[in-house]
Amino acid sequence: MAKQVFTSFDEIDQRLAILKLQREIDKEQLRLHVNRTKANFYPTNLLGGLVE
C-alpha cells in the first residue's frame, strides 16, 4: 500500500472515517457469506439437492 501524505488533521480524520466505514462493510459482507454458507448446509437444503 502506498504511503499517504496528509496536509491537515481534517484529511486524517476523513481518511479514518472512510476506513471505519470500509471495515463495517467488510464485517457485514463476512456475516452475509457465513449466513449463506450455513443456509446451504441445512439438512433440508442438502436433501432437497439430492431429490431434484
Side-chain angles (χ1 to χ4, degrees):
M1 187 172 183
K3 191 173 185 177
Q4 276 189 296
V5 177
F6 299 102
T7 58
S8 70
F9 286 109
D10 288 334
E11 287 181 17
I12 295 170
D13 290 339
Q14 183 181 20
R15 182 66 181 149
L16 287 173
I18 291 169
L19 290 172
K20 181 180 176 184
L21 290 172
Q22 286 176 337
R23 184 175 61 227
E24 289 177 23
I25 291 169
D26 289 341
K27 281 183 188 178
E28 288 301 319
Q29 286 179 334
L30 180 61
R31 284 186 192 128
L32 179 64
H33 290 299
V34 167
N35 288 335
R36 283 184 182 166
T37 302
K38 283 181 183 178
N40 287 335
F41 284 107
Y42 281 174
T44 53
N45 289 340
L46 291 173
L47 294 175
L50 294 175
V51 173
E52 295 178 344

